[in-house]
Amino acid sequence: MKPIPYGRQHITEEDIQAVVQTLHSDFLTQGPKVEEFEQAFANYVGSKYAVAVANGTAALHLCALALGVSVGTRVITTPITFAASANCIKYAGGEVYFADIDPETALLDIDKVRSLLQSKPKGYFSGIIPVDFAGYPINLEAFRNLADEYGLWIIEDACHAPGGYFINSEGDKQLCGNGNYADLAIFSFHPVKHIATGEGGMVTTNNRELHEKLLLLRTHGITKNPELLQENHGGWYYEMQTLGYNYRMPDMLTALGISQLKQAEAGLRKRQEIANRYDTAFRTNAKIQILNPAANQPGLKNELYHAYHLYVILIEYRKGLYDYLRAKQIYAQVHYIPVHTMPYYQDLGFNKGDFPLAENYYAQCLSLPMFPSLTKEEQEYVIQRVQEFLN
Ligand SMILES: *Cc1c(COP(=O)(O)O)cnc(C)c1O
């Protein structure tokens, strides 16, 4: 049995050909594939606009800048996420606040966010960054209502959830990143994510003004658009109108993205099948608690569609199981070490114990192998090793 990671890209011959074709073309960086990928992605998640960027972290950074985060801007996020969800606020000079998770779902708890907002004068906070952790769509309708009450913007970190959706109070399907509730949403195309391009990221939005800001910020703050120029000296002329970055995604990677996107639906279905098999195997084991079990079965728990970036179980002897699985060539992972406990954030004044529910979750969580090319045999092997350790 070869080693089984927790996540892995699935690259087809078609993907390879798509990249090779761009290598024969005139464009290595900003070529026609960039806009094609942006349009296909916007179409997939149901947003008006999409902006391809260098990676998910760059996407978060540009979102913070486009929303005007600067020194003194206060933003709330969850401690159970990848550090970049919080770091983007620090890049722009702002201040990060955390609110604890809902232990049922491991998502940012809206009631905790509300309490934090109520504890300060109105206008104290500027925004919220909720995360569709593990691929489980957070209820952004509820967050939008809360944000409107306090005049806040929302960046949805949807890195785990392309293709996932929840059902809103009117019974309508709301795809993660569709821009109906969040001002901006971001995605990553890191190899463990649903759509893999090596490095790569996307911002989606329905807001035209933010879309234009993002385009400017992605390319050094430089524009050649005649409608936006303050002067025009001729065909060569461009203006740098704001301090931007080189956060572009190259043509060859967007070509890979276009090809990967075609398989995204099929990949999601595979993830669901794998989740259902884990659910069935572990449901009756009293030593295992499944995070968000059976979320896909209509009427069972939630009216939503879990994108299953991660399949998370909670167990008491987490380190023991982790080490046991490693010895058997199964590379399960822990998502995540609470961000506020990182030395950098402790230096900013956060302490262990600040968010006990996140810390309690961290003490028990383990992400089992979950990726579309995981075979039934491999999964059966994983299930047996887990049961064997716990029994
Ligand atoms: C992967 C990830 C990111 C960062 O994406 P990169 O492309 O690796 O920079 C941000 N937030 C979450 C929740 C992620 O999983």
Side-chain angles (χ1 to χ4, degrees), residues 111-295:
D111 294 330
K112 296 274 170 26
V113 175
R114 188 179 288 110
S115 305
L116 181 56
L117 292 169
Q118 284 168 347
S119 73
K120 303 286 182 186
K122 269 206 174 170
Y124 191 85
F125 293 102
S126 298
I128 315 176
I129 307 181
V131 179
D132 300 304
F133 172 67
Y136 192 83
I138 197 159
N139 186 333
L140 279 181
E141 184 183 30
F143 271 94
R144 182 77 265 167
N145 291 338
L146 181 63
D148 285 348
E149 235 178 278
Y150 287 84
L152 310 177
W153 47 254
I154 297 175
I155 302 171
E156 176 188 9
D157 184 335
C159 281
H160 295 185
Y165 63 79
F166 73 97
I167 305 289
N168 72 2
S169 60
E170 274 150 35
D172 297 326
K173 189 170 143 175
Q174 299 293 331
L175 282 161
C176 295
N178 72 2
N180 285 347
Y181 297 110
D183 298 272
L184 295 163
I186 71 108
F187 296 87
S188 161
F189 308 124
H190 179 282
V192 296
K193 309 287 164 73
H194 293 62
I195 295 154
T197 66
E199 295 285 352
M202 194 71 84
V203 184
T204 57
T205 183
N206 290 345
N207 182 315
R208 196 171 65 91
E209 208 175 306
L210 288 174
H211 176 238
E212 276 172 13
K213 279 190 189 166
L214 291 167
L215 292 177
L216 202 60
L217 287 164
R218 173 178 69 177
T219 312
H220 309 282
I222 287 176
T223 182
K224 287 190 84 169
N225 182 347
E227 282 171 31
L228 302 176
L229 295 175
Q230 295 176 13
E231 299 177 18
N232 197 343
H233 305 171
W236 68 85
Y237 189 71
Y238 63 81
E239 281 173 1
M240 189 198 125
Q241 298 182 332
T242 186
L243 186 64
Y245 295 79
N246 177 356
Y247 276 170
R248 294 184 298 251
M249 187 173 179
D251 216 45
M252 49 187 157
L253 294 188
T254 52
L256 179 54
I258 293 164
S259 182
Q260 282 268 299
L261 193 54
K262 290 179 190 153
Q263 309 156 46
E265 285 281 359
L268 265 182
R269 280 196 298 275
K270 281 271 187 187
R271 288 173 184 272
Q272 310 258 334
E273 284 168 18
I274 292 166
N276 285 337
R277 285 204 291 270
Y278 277 139
D279 277 4
T280 305
F282 297 143
R283 196 174 276 133
T284 52
N285 191 326
K287 290 176 182 154
I288 299 177
Q289 192 193 327
I290 303 164
L291 184 69
N292 301 320

